[in-house]
């Protein structure tokens, strides 16, 4: 029987492996969430996140998974009679478009083929032809291993559509790939911590612009738990609206300190190096990459199964021999691709070791 107390090492694109020293941080004695000690912890974490994300605006700490922010961004920042342009390039961005609808807002889709990026000119054409309050954009589409050209998109948005709000799912990109939040002109960007932050799941970090909070003031039906106005008031006091998952915030403090000591540019470079290795390995073994290399993610690599290996069998064999797992393709891509995550505290040496184990199964 599967032993949850001796789980496999995770090279899946979330949750990722959490190191023991990090886990220990989540076992610290708890604090009172309205006490001074908590305020110090919260303030230090928020300040570090501001540095890591290059922002002087709001940092919100949400005791929820990342998907909560899909909903929060819409319910806080889009009036019931406004329309959102949802850019869709894979399973997660598609799902967000559904969520917009489920929040009762009108949504138009800009769909591209899975594995292809969403380009600035495509967004510009859509926005120029209609009236939109906001766009949803995914930084790193985890179902396909695609990284969208966010800096090019930001340049276009600032030049041509400066009044359209920009909400970004950065769940599997944040920390592993650059985000200069203020320079990008984004309004909401969020990531759950079980991806490149390399913490256990159940918590989300968000950067939110002042104009997004300002807009929320006029939006009815924001609800309670995810209300940006209440969140902003609490954040100004280094608190959260409700009792947060304080263990996660302690873990975040540890991880953010580590990223700043390493230097965030070095953290990004470390992820790029693992991605370069993984892409090179795949190509040298006769596979192709699922995405054009220019748009391939630095936090996970999606490999096209051009050799026709039995993906499920290889995953099973590596698990049986090494108690380590990687991922099959997502949804319809199940046997057509496989995915190796290389983010957070996963090291280059570990990725090399895993690829060696895969080699042993597929015959080099
Ligand atoms: C993992 C993931 C999500 C879902 O995050 P949860 O924390 O499970 O809600 C959303 N978007 C992307 C891009 C992801 O990789």
């Amino acid at each position: 029987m599967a032993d949850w107390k001796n789980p496999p090492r995770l090279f899946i694109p979330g949750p990722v492996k959490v190191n023991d020293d990090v886990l220990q941080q989540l076992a610290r004695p708890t604090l009172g969430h309205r006490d001074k000690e908590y305020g110090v912890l919260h303030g230090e974490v928020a300040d570090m996140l501001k540095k890591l994300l290059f922002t002087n605006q709001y940092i919100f700490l949400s005791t929820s998974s990342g998907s909560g922010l899909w909903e929060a961004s819409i319910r806080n920042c889009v009036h019931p009679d406004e329309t959102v342009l949802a850019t869709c390039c894979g399973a997660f961005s598609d799902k967000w478009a559904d969520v917009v609808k489920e929040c009762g807002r009108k949504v138009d889709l800009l769909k591209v083929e899975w594995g292809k990026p969403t380009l600035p000119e495509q967004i510009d054409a859509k926005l120029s032809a209609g009236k939109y309050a906001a766009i949803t954009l995914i930084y790193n589409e985890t179902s396909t291993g695609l990284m969208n050209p966010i800096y090019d998109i930001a340049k276009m948005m600032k030049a041509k559509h400066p009044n359209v709000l920009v909400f970004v799912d950065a769940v599997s990109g944040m920390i592993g790939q650059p985000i200069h939040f203020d320079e990008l002109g984004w309004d909401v960007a969020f990531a759950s911590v079980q991806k490149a932050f390399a913490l256990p799941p159940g918590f989300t970090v968000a950067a939110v612009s002042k104009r997004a909070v300002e807009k929320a003031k006029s939006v009815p039906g924001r609800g309670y738990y995810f209300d940006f106005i209440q969140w902003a008031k609490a954040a100004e006091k280094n608190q959260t609206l409700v009792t947060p998952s304080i263990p996660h915030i302690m873990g975040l403090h540890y991880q953010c300190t580590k990223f700043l000591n390493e230097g965030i540019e070095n953290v990004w470079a470390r992820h790029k190096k693992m991605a370069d290795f993984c892409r090179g390995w795949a190509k040298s073994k006769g596979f192709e990459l699922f995405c054009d290399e220019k748009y391939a993610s630095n936090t996970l690599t999606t490999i096209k199964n051009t050799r026709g290996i039995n993906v499920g069998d290889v995953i099973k064999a590596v698990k049986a021999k090494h108690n380590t797992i990687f991922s099959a393709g997502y949804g319809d891509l199940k046997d057509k691709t496989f995915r190796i995550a290389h983010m957070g505290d996963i090291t280059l040496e570990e990725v090399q070791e895993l690829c060696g184990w895969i080699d042993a199964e597929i015959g080099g």
Side-chain angles (χ1 to χ4, degrees):
M1 202 173 62
D3 180 4
W4 64 270
K5 291 183 180 166
N6 178 29
R9 189 155 39 137
L10 303 177
F11 286 83
I12 60 174
V16 299
K17 179 194 76 149
V18 181
N19 284 345
D20 284 342
D21 58 326
V22 180
L23 279 178
Q24 291 308 314
Q25 300 302 315
L26 281 83
R28 286 184 179 280
T30 199
L31 307 172
H33 68 296
R34 300 295 181 223
D35 289 343
K36 286 205 171 68
E37 291 79 8
Y38 174 79
V40 173
L41 169 68
H42 186 116
E44 288 180 2
V45 168
D47 284 347
M48 287 192 279
L49 285 166
K50 284 180 184 172
K51 288 189 188 134
L52 293 166
L53 301 176
F54 297 87
T55 180
N56 288 313
Q57 304 185 78
Y58 289 103
I59 294 290
F60 293 148
L61 303 178
S62 175
T63 300
S64 69
S65 89
S67 312
L69 272 292
W70 281 346
E71 188 163 328
S73 54
I74 303 302
R75 292 188 62 181
N76 277 283
C77 303
V78 181
H79 286 272
D81 59 351
E82 287 177 333
T83 307
V84 175
L85 177 66
T87 66
C88 301
C89 59
F92 290 97
S93 41
D94 282 359
K95 189 73 220 162
W96 198 359
D98 293 343
V99 171
V100 177
K101 231 179 289 165
E102 280 150 14
C103 291
R105 269 58 165 187
K106 285 172 278 187
V107 60
D108 282 348
L109 308 182
L110 168 55
K111 267 187 184 283
V112 296
E113 197 186 322
W114 281 33
K116 297 273 187 293
T118 302
L119 298 171
E121 52 271 27
Q122 296 168 320
I123 298 174
D124 179 31
K126 274 276 190 188
L127 290 179
S128 301
K131 192 170 184 321
Y132 297 96
I135 66 168
T136 63
L137 177 66
I138 196 158
Y139 187 4
N140 202 68
E141 177 48 84
T142 317
S143 62
T144 61
L146 176 117
M147 173 163 58
N148 269 320
I150 56 164
Y151 287 86
D152 294 343
I153 293 170
K155 212 162 142 193
M156 179 284 293
M157 289 299 293
K158 285 207 277 193
K160 297 192 148 172
H161 307 283
N163 297 323
V164 175
L165 300 185
V166 181
F167 310 143
V168 183
D169 173 334
V171 174
S172 63
M174 191 181 282
I175 296 301
Q177 299 169 177
I179 292 179
H180 298 83
F181 183 84
D182 291 354
E183 183 194 319
L184 284 159
W186 287 353
D187 293 285
V188 181
F190 51 89
S192 16
V193 298
Q194 74 272 22
K195 311 268 166 118
F197 282 98
L199 288 163
F203 202 78
T204 293
V205 165
V208 175
S209 72
K210 288 179 181 154
R211 79 170 174 172
V213 172
E214 203 49 45
K215 169 111 189 242
K217 289 179 183 164
S218 67
V219 177
R222 299 187 303 273
Y224 173 71
Y225 194 80
F226 289 106
D227 181 1
F228 282 179
I229 303 301
Q230 297 303 326
W231 281 15
K233 276 187 197 151
E236 277 155 18
K237 295 186 289 183
N238 286 328
Q239 288 190 358
T240 50
L241 175 61
V242 293
T243 321
S245 174
I246 295 172
H248 276 104
I249 301 174
M250 292 168 172
L252 262 177
H253 192 283
Y254 186 76
Q255 292 297 67
C256 291
T257 304
K258 222 165 63 180
F259 301 143
L260 285 173
N261 286 341
E262 182 178 353
I264 190 63
E265 286 83 2
N266 297 326
V267 176
W268 302 332
R270 182 158 56 73
H271 283 80
K272 171 86 167 57
K273 221 168 164 179
M274 291 192 284
D276 284 340
F277 170 79
C278 219
R279 294 172 202 163
W281 167 79
K283 286 187 284 186
S284 76
K285 301 297 167 181
F287 292 110
E288 285 169 23
L289 302 176
F290 186 67
C291 303
D292 182 337
E293 198 147 352
K294 186 172 168 201
Y295 300 108
S297 159
N298 285 340
T299 58
L300 78 145
T301 296
T302 302
I303 298 157
K304 214 194 241 177
N305 184 13
T306 34
R307 281 179 53 176
I309 62 168
N310 187 320
V311 172
D313 282 354
V314 176
I315 292 172
K316 258 186 232 153
V318 170
K319 185 179 179 200
K321 289 178 194 166
H322 308 287
N323 202 25
T324 295
I325 56 170
F326 61 100
S327 281
Y330 194 99
D332 292 342
L333 297 174
K334 193 165 186 281
D335 303 309
K336 294 183 191 133
T337 65
F338 57 98
R339 296 174 297 159
I340 297 174
H342 32 74
M343 61 175 106
D345 286 327
I346 288 172
T347 64
L348 178 60
E349 291 69 30
E350 286 176 303
V351 177
Q352 289 167 335
E353 189 177 36
L354 171 65
C355 291
W357 291 337
I358 298 173
D359 284 341
E361 297 307 320
I362 63 176

